[in-house]
Amino acid sequence: TTRFFFFFFFFFFELMAVGRRKGLGVILLFASIMALFRSSYLSYHSSIFLRSYSPAKMPRSFKLSRSSQTRALRSSIRASQIPIRSGLLKSKSSFSASSPPALTVYTHEDCLKHKMTSHPERIYHPECPERLRYLLQEVMPSLSAELDFRVLQPPRLPSDEELTRIHTNDYVKTVREAFKQVDEGETSVVYLDSETSVGPGTSDSVLRGAGVTLQAVEDVCEDRALRAFVMVRPPGHHAEPHTAMGFCFFNNIMLGLAHAQAKYPDLIKRAALLDFDVHHGNGGQTACFKEPSRMFASTHQSPLFPWKGLSEETGVNFNVINVPLSKDSSPQDFREAWENKILPSVRDFDPDIIFVSAGFDAHESDPLASLRLMESDFGFVTDKIAELANEVAGGRLITVLEGGYDPQALGNCVSEHLRSLSRTSLPSLEQRSRTSSKAVSAAMLFTQDEITSMNKNEVRAHLARLGMPTSGKLDVLKNRLAEVPATAA
């Protein structure tokens, strides 16, 4: 309307000018008509463009860049004679990169299918579906709303290549054959050991638990998540490379750790596995014991199944720390073990990612052990671990559910665990940008030149002093010695 008002005003003015200066009036009249036509044409077509090809409706391959959208919008603004307000449209480079969510929970309802026994007369087993069902139905709905985290059910399954990073080929074949026999109805149950049996639904639960763990690792390493809690069953930390043990089929958390190192070798050079389950994580220790790029640390009740985890078990270069706790140990003993013994060593190890076997069966209400921990004790150790992950690993932290056999106590402990993961401050920009190139060579016990000049007897003498294996060819022995950090002296 404004445009046409001005057009007729100038048209009337120009008609008056025609009588006085005929040539000037004609020129002005022609210029006004052309300006009106151009302005109306641009305004019409730019508005059609913005309505019909909005980014939300366009196929991804046809979406215009932000700069193209800005130019189109500015054309429309100019055509409508609307002034451009400075800073209204920011360029792409002016937006800060979005941070991954602080906490994400990974689970799957297929993990409810496994039952440890198929015999009708045995209606209860401590490692039962009710453990996870209570968490899914009674804990997650309200807690996810309170803490504002996502609960994801990824469809991921593990490949044999991923399983054999930790387990032997023969063991993986044995487990898959047991799954096949039960799933095809050849038998109703297959015992892999005296405490670990395959029944209907077991294959879905076991494979889904491993796959969900692998997906959580990929999301954390690719910055789609910062801290992940993997809420699956059956547990995994007792499973050894060659055998099932203690309700565990595949060692989920070690599969995740090995996957992180294998798929992201430039990012994840060193990884730490921490275990506060009341039972020693023997499978995790076995997989870390001879690997200098891995660290294992555990508090656990002793003596107790699996009858391992002595303080004298220290790994190839002191990368294993065990702090056994007697059944009369107090919550303060538990806290001091983590704060004064384990976490300082983890800080010295300087991992690029931290994994936690989060078993809550050290709670005073749990039926399978005798420690007297409370929910607040699990919150304490989770706080400390999350803070350390910020400091040394850019915040990358993955915790995986292990034990906890009183469903209500388990729910309370998991709630406190997740509140700790959620309330711990996010890593600073400096901490997040910290790379994995941490000058490892400067922190080694011997320089490469020193090792090269040693003969076999000298190398063996140093290895023996460090409590490391002394058998093997000279090149192997030198490589073993080259991986010893200065902190082992």
Side-chain angles (χ1 to χ4, degrees):
T1 303
T2 304
R3 189 182 301 115
F4 277 95
F5 171 78
F6 280 109
F7 169 72
F8 283 112
F9 174 79
F10 283 111
F11 179 71
F12 177 75
F13 172 78
E14 288 152 5
L15 287 178
M16 293 178 61
V18 169
R20 299 181 180 180
R21 296 184 180 181
K22 185 174 183 180
L24 177 61
V26 172
I27 292 173
L28 289 174
L29 179 61
F30 179 77
S32 297
I33 293 173
M34 293 301 295
L36 175 65
F37 174 80
R38 180 180 180 276
S39 176
S40 300
Y41 176 85
L42 289 175
S43 179
Y44 172 77
H45 281 276
S46 59
S47 63
I48 290 295
F49 164 79
L50 293 172
R51 287 199 304 270
S52 302
Y53 296 92
S54 62
K57 298 179 181 179
M58 292 172 64
R60 180 172 296 181
S61 58
F62 290 98
K63 287 184 181 180
L64 296 181
S65 65
R66 180 174 293 276
S67 60
S68 298
Q69 296 175 40
T70 302
R71 287 196 298 270
L73 184 55
R74 286 181 183 271
S75 297
S76 177
I77 292 172
R78 290 193 187 97
S80 303
Q81 303 299 306
I82 301 174
I84 300 175
R85 180 157 54 93
S86 176
L88 181 63
L89 298 175
K90 297 183 178 180
S91 67
K92 188 174 183 180
S93 61
S94 67
F95 288 99
S96 61
S98 60
S99 300
L103 173 62
T104 307
V105 173
Y106 294 80
T107 188
H108 205 286
E109 58 188 9
D110 278 357
C111 294
L112 296 169
K113 295 181 179 180
H114 168 65
K115 293 184 179 180
M116 192 58 74
T117 177
S118 60
H119 299 293
E121 65 273 14
R122 294 180 62 184
I123 60 174
Y124 174 76
H125 188 282
E127 208 300 280
C128 57
E130 284 65 37
R131 300 175 59 232
L132 181 59
R133 184 175 290 113
Y134 186 86
L135 295 176
L136 291 174
Q137 296 180 358
E138 303 298 329
V139 176
M140 288 301 117
S142 59
L143 193 64
S144 61
E146 173 193 336
L147 302 180
D148 191 25
F149 60 77
R150 299 176 299 166
V151 180
L152 305 182
Q153 294 194 72
R156 181 81 149 79
L157 292 172
S159 65
D160 281 355
E161 178 185 358
E162 291 164 338
L163 293 174
T164 53
R165 288 182 181 137
I166 294 300
H167 299 285
T168 64
N169 285 314
D170 288 344
Y171 176 65
V172 172
K173 290 178 181 178
T174 298
V175 175
R176 287 199 180 274
E177 180 61 28
F179 290 165
K180 181 180 178 182
Q181 290 177 11
V182 172
D183 292 344
E184 294 182 354
E186 297 179 23
T187 182
S188 62
V189 61
V190 174
Y191 282 89
L192 298 178
D193 86 329
S194 60
E195 301 129 346
T196 313
S197 60
V198 177
T202 298
S203 61
D204 289 339
S205 296
V206 170
L207 294 174
R208 192 68 74 183
V212 168
T213 306
L214 297 175
Q215 185 61 59
V217 169
E218 292 175 2
D219 286 354
V220 169
C221 290
E222 296 177 17
D223 285 337
R224 292 188 293 270
L226 179 63
R227 303 173 188 132
F229 176 56
V230 181
M231 194 171 69
V232 296
R233 62 168 291 274
H237 72 149
H238 292 310
E240 295 275 359
H242 60 283
T243 186
M245 184 185 290
F247 316 154
C248 304
F249 297 82
F250 292 135
N251 198 315
N252 297 326
I253 196 163
M254 275 310 309
L255 291 174
L257 188 152
H259 185 59
Q261 291 185 311
K263 186 168 183 177
Y264 309 98
D266 295 331
L267 179 67
I268 309 298
K269 297 182 182 297
R270 299 160 75 85
L273 169 54
L274 314 181
D275 191 327
F276 54 70
D277 191 282
V278 78
H279 303 96
H280 180 252
N282 55 288
Q285 175 172 303
T286 298
C288 295
F289 202 90
K290 296 181 180 180
E291 296 290 339
S293 65
R294 300 171 182 172
M295 178 180 185
F296 175 82
S298 171
T299 54
H300 47 276
Q301 183 177 328
S302 181
L304 190 68
F305 179 90
W307 321 111
K308 297 183 180 181
L310 300 178
S311 57
E312 292 81 9
E313 299 168 7
T314 57
V316 291
N317 58 350
F318 305 99
N319 64 330
V320 170
I321 300 176
N322 286 304
V323 185
L325 300 173
S326 69
K327 66 178 183 178
D328 298 322
S329 297
S330 68
Q332 188 61 31
D333 295 329
F334 171 81
R335 293 189 179 207
E336 289 179 355
W338 282 96
E339 192 166 24
N340 300 330
K341 296 181 180 180
I342 293 178
L343 295 181
S345 297
V346 178
R347 182 178 288 105
D348 291 339
F349 182 74
D350 201 20
D352 302 301
I353 190 170
I354 295 178
F355 289 82
V356 178
S357 281
F360 300 98
D361 41 4
H363 189 273
E364 65 172 1
S365 298
D366 197 272
L368 298 190
S370 304
L371 294 185
R372 303 187 303 276
L373 300 188
M374 302 296 291
E375 293 89 340
S376 58
D377 298 309
F378 294 109
F380 170 85
V381 70
T382 303
D383 284 339
K384 296 297 183 181
I385 293 172
E387 291 167 1
L388 182 59
N390 284 352
E391 179 182 340
V392 301
R396 287 183 288 269
L397 175 61
I398 298 172
T399 71
V400 179
L401 179 64
E402 301 289 356
Y405 302 102
D406 179 287
Q408 186 170 358
L410 176 62
N412 294 337
C413 291
V414 167
S415 296
E416 186 61 27
H417 181 63
L418 295 184
R419 286 192 176 95
S420 293
L421 293 177
S422 181
R423 69 176 171 243
T424 301
S425 61
L426 297 177
S428 66
L429 182 60
E430 179 183 359
Q431 291 169 332
R432 285 290 292 161
S433 61
R434 192 172 182 227
T435 66
S436 59
S437 55
K438 299 175 180 176
V440 176
S441 59
M444 293 296 100
L445 187 57
F446 296 100
T447 67
Q448 194 60 50
D449 290 340
E450 289 173 335
I451 293 174
T452 301
S453 65
M454 295 179 189
N455 60 38
K456 195 168 186 176
N457 290 333
E458 291 174 325
V459 175
R460 281 180 169 172
H462 288 301
L463 291 173
R465 179 175 60 84
L466 294 167
M468 299 173 66
T470 59
S471 60
K473 295 182 179 180
L474 180 59
D475 289 344
V476 174
L477 297 177
K478 287 185 175 181
N479 289 339
R480 193 175 296 160
L481 193 61
E483 294 172 337
V484 180
T487 54

